[in-house]
Amino acid sequence: MRLGSLSSMLPLGFVLMTFISHCYGHDLRVGFYDGKCGGQDIEKLIYGIVKKKIAKDPDVVSDLTRLLFHDCFVRGCDGSILLKGNHTEQKAHINKHVAGMDDIDDIKKAVEKVCPGVVSCTDVLVMAARDAGFLAGGKRYDVETGRRDGRVSSSKEAEASLPPPTIPVNKAIQMFAKNGLNEREFVVLLGGHTVGTAHCNSFKNRLYNFNNTQKPDPTINSALLPLLCKTCPLHSQSENETFLDHNPTSHFKMDNDYYKQIVAHNGTLEIDQNLAINPLTRGIVEELANSPDQFLNEFGPAMVKMARIGVLTGDRGEIRKTCASVN
Ligand code: HEM
Ligand SMILES: *[C@@H]1O[C@H](CO)[C@@H](O)[C@H](O)[C@H]1NC(C)=O
Ligand SMILES: *[C@@H]1O[C@H](CO)[C@@H](O)[C@H](O)[C@H]1NC(C)=O
Ligand SMILES: *[C@@H]1O[C@H](CO)[C@@H](O)[C@H](O)[C@H]1NC(C)=O
Ligand SMILES: *[C@@H]1O[C@H](CO)[C@@H](O)[C@H](O)[C@H]1NC(C)=O
């Protein structure tokens, strides 16, 4: 854990937090809950809880970042991934290792105590994911709020709407475009893989018999390959993990090292490595690898745009009392 310098960024965060109420011309807006919770500053409350959680467990950063992506790409950002049940999104194979739902439950409980029935679970997730990225060294950005929570969650829909790690770059670009995100935003958002891990299931196909060649994926850095093979032995059902960003000093840091690693052929997932190779995205990857500020400046706005996908506003949806179940 290298979050030591973060407390020094805290005052800046709160200064920026006061610059809210900028209107975006649709139903979501920055500071939607201002004045709706008496004197309570909900964003500050959430920030404090996320900070404590990350201090205890740095995985919270990657958990919340991925959770928002997996929520937004299935039925829009509507908290549908938070719903527990027999055939809900959580049960989808592609969501097997998705985590952080309990963290959102905890935060929502604290919010309900001071401001019952007002703040949606979906907005809690959006704010918490923003705070997590900032606390991990990212740049703070304002998020829009005003989303309401959905009542439907389907594992089948999750399987159909989320990309597998083997998705070709051009197909991934199409999938993001359908969600209103352009090619550059796709590349920037994949920078979310600068934190967190992948399990053997997600990349073992590259290690021993890639594409029926009886050989490893030739694009894997020769220094990385033996480490990945050790983590995921051929004859084992191991569900071991490896980091997505292989720079040992930045496993938990929101920075541009992910791009540096994939340029060096140290991508963990097939999509990660191909992002640096495919001519459609290679140029953007190299630009981001060479400029730490560029990535940090663009990640927030791309997350804000992702968090607009298919939102429920007005009288659609509900404000869930508990995030794991509909009212
Ligand atoms: C084509 C797009 C994407 C694909 C195919 C993809 C695929 C994956 C896969 C297979 C894993 C590893 C799961 C495991 O084995 O545990 C993963 C992890 C992760 N993904 Fe993505 N992803 C994509 C886009 C994104 C985006 C847009 C974000 C967020 C902005 C994101 C955030 C993360 C994070 C933070 C993790 C680490 C989770 C953890 O440590 O538990 N991904 N992704
Ligand atoms: C899931 O299915 C089981 C068995 O069919 C049932 O007992 C249980 O109540 C269901 N749970 C939910 C949350 O629907
Ligand atoms: C996989 O093999 C097929 C058939 O040999 C080939 O056309 C394709 O380009 C290969 N894919 C990759 C990613 O190497
Ligand atoms: C790529 O990964 C290997 C294995 O972890 C490491 O030795 C090497 O330094 C990494 N390359 C870069 C550019 O960090
Ligand atoms: C991965 O899991 C296997 C068991 O399936 C274990 O033998 C091995 O030591 C593990 N490797 C690492 C690097 O954790």
Side-chain angles (χ1 to χ4, degrees), residues 62-63 65-66 69 97 163-165 167 172 176 186 189-190 192-193 195-199 202 244 269 271 299 303 306:
S62 52
D63 290 348
T65 305
R66 188 173 189 222
F69 167 54
H97 294 290
I167 190 172
F176 276 64
F186 159 61
L189 285 167
L190 216 60
H193 288 179
V195 290
T197 61
H199 294 76
S202 300
L244 287 165
L269 307 176
I271 184 68
F299 187 69
M303 288 289 276
M306 182 173 86

Side-chain angles (χ1 to χ4, degrees), residues 290-309:
N290 290 326
S291 167
D293 289 347
Q294 194 89 28
F295 169 64
L296 292 179
N297 287 335
E298 291 185 36
F299 187 69
M303 288 289 276
V304 168
K305 201 159 165 201
M306 182 173 86
R308 287 179 190 157
I309 300 170

Side-chain angles (χ1 to χ4, degrees), residues 176-197:
F176 276 64
K178 266 195 226 145
N179 284 298
L181 298 159
N182 65 34
E183 209 165 293
R184 189 173 180 93
E185 287 158 347
F186 159 61
V187 176
V188 167
L189 285 167
L190 216 60
H193 288 179
T194 188
V195 290
T197 61

Side-chain angles (χ1 to χ4, degrees), residues 221 223-225 227 246-248 260-261 264-266:
N221 186 322
L224 179 64
L225 180 62
L227 299 179
H246 288 284
N247 176 347
K260 292 186 196 164
Q261 291 296 321
H265 288 265
N266 269 357

Side-chain angles (χ1 to χ4, degrees), residues 11-28:
L12 175 65
F14 286 136
V15 169
L16 290 174
M17 261 184 218
T18 61
F19 284 93
I20 41 187
S21 84
H22 185 83
C23 204
Y24 283 80
H26 51 91
D27 290 339
L28 299 179

Side-chain angles (χ1 to χ4, degrees), residues 41-111:
D41 184 340
I42 286 304
E43 300 215 17
K44 194 169 159 182
L45 174 71
I46 293 173
Y47 178 86
I49 303 172
V50 174
K51 191 176 179 207
K52 272 193 210 134
K53 283 183 171 288
I54 293 173
K56 260 194 230 150
D57 176 8
D59 290 340
V60 170
V61 175
S62 52
D63 290 348
L64 296 182
T65 305
R66 188 173 189 222
L67 193 56
L68 182 60
F69 167 54
H70 280 223
D71 185 36
C72 289
F73 267 57
V74 186
R75 294 198 148 250
C77 314
D78 65 345
S80 51
I81 198 162
L82 303 172
L83 291 171
K84 286 199 167 65
N86 281 330
H87 305 285
T88 63
E89 291 173 27
Q90 291 182 16
K91 294 286 161 67
H93 177 74
I94 199 153
N95 281 329
K96 185 170 177 197
H97 294 290
V98 164
M101 290 80 85
D102 294 346
D103 295 312
I104 299 304
D105 273 342
D106 290 348
I107 301 169
K108 168 72 167 171
K109 272 186 201 128
V111 169

